[in-house]
Amino acid sequence: MFCLRDTGDAAGEVLDEIERVPVASLKRFGRRLSLVLDRGRRKRCEFLFLEKKFKNKDGVYEQIFFRTPGAIRGHRTRGRPHLHGQADLLIAIDSNERYPWRFSGYRTERRKLAVGDYALMGDHDAPRAVIERKTFDNLLHDFAQVQLLHQQLAELGSFPNGALVIEAQYGDFLNRARVKH
């Protein structure tokens, strides 16, 4: 749903209040504003704020999108992770990673990592966080060699900030044709 910011220009326009609900949580993540209301159902949504260039003249205009959980689930991400925080971080990307994520605005370096596919590097070239990335098919293949997977997860768990990212839809895990054996 596309929204417009209220500028107060509509003098005399009468708006009807539909509902007044306390806010349980309101957090900003870059261009997203995440809202959780204090009620049982239909309590989560987010606003996405974008700036677009005019096509026929100079300058930019604002677009605001209101997204419900259903719309967020239906949107397929394009594999562009966003970091929020220090811009001086160094992100090490394993040299064996065939199709690496891009981190625009951050320093990246391709190198051989002992553990994981990505690492946020800290002082003295020591990883502060490590991420292992797996596709659904890669995860199924690793299940066939479960002892190696356990070893890989133990190495990942040795870091205070380790994560396993599985790039798959939830439905893939329930689809017998995808899981096979």
Side-chain angles (χ1 to χ4, degrees):
M1 182 183 300
F2 178 74
C3 307
L4 295 173
R5 188 181 295 273
D6 182 12
T7 59
D9 294 341
E13 182 181 7
V14 179
L15 301 174
D16 295 328
E17 183 176 307
I18 298 171
E19 182 180 14
R20 186 176 291 242
V21 179
V23 174
S25 172
L26 182 66
K27 294 181 182 173
R28 180 174 278 286
F29 301 98
R31 298 180 293 184
R32 288 186 303 125
L33 184 64
S34 178
L35 174 67
V36 180
L37 300 176
D38 188 14
R39 64 179 181 192
R41 296 184 67 223
R42 298 185 180 183
K43 61 184 178 180
R44 290 183 177 87
C45 69
E46 71 179 26
F47 294 90
L48 179 63
F49 298 86
L50 302 175
E51 281 191 351
K52 297 287 187 175
K53 291 183 180 181
F54 286 111
K55 292 180 181 177
N56 301 330
K57 61 181 177 179
D58 290 336
V60 295
Y61 63 97
E62 182 181 50
Q63 290 183 339
I64 306 171
F65 293 92
F66 172 77
R67 301 187 326 172
T68 63
I72 294 167
R73 278 190 301 272
H75 177 74
R76 287 184 159 253
T77 183
R78 287 181 236 134
R80 293 183 182 151
H82 298 281
L83 294 175
H84 303 288
Q86 298 172 318
D88 61 341
L89 289 174
L90 171 63
I91 302 166
I93 302 170
D94 189 66
S95 54
N96 292 329
E97 190 70 3
R98 285 198 334 195
Y99 303 105
W101 290 332
R102 289 177 297 223
F103 299 92
S104 59
Y106 291 88
R107 293 182 305 134
T108 60
E109 179 180 286
R110 298 289 297 235
R111 64 164 85 160
K112 181 70 181 148
L113 295 175
V115 177
D117 297 315
Y118 302 90
L120 295 177
M121 304 308 289
D123 299 332
H124 310 294
D125 209 33
R128 293 164 61 184
V130 177
I131 298 170
E132 175 67 32
R133 175 183 172 201
K134 293 198 176 293
T135 64
F136 182 74
D137 292 329
N138 184 236
L139 180 67
L140 290 179
H141 179 266
D142 286 355
F143 281 152
Q145 302 168 355
V146 74
Q147 284 147 349
L148 291 175
L149 179 62
H150 284 200
Q151 184 180 21
Q152 214 174 21
L153 294 175
E155 290 171 354
L156 192 61
S158 68
F159 289 88
N161 299 302
L164 173 65
V165 175
I166 302 167
E167 295 179 340
Q169 300 293 319
Y170 287 121
D172 290 342
F173 291 95
L174 303 174
N175 183 344
R176 291 179 187 214
R178 293 286 319 258
V179 178
K180 295 179 187 163
H181 309 295

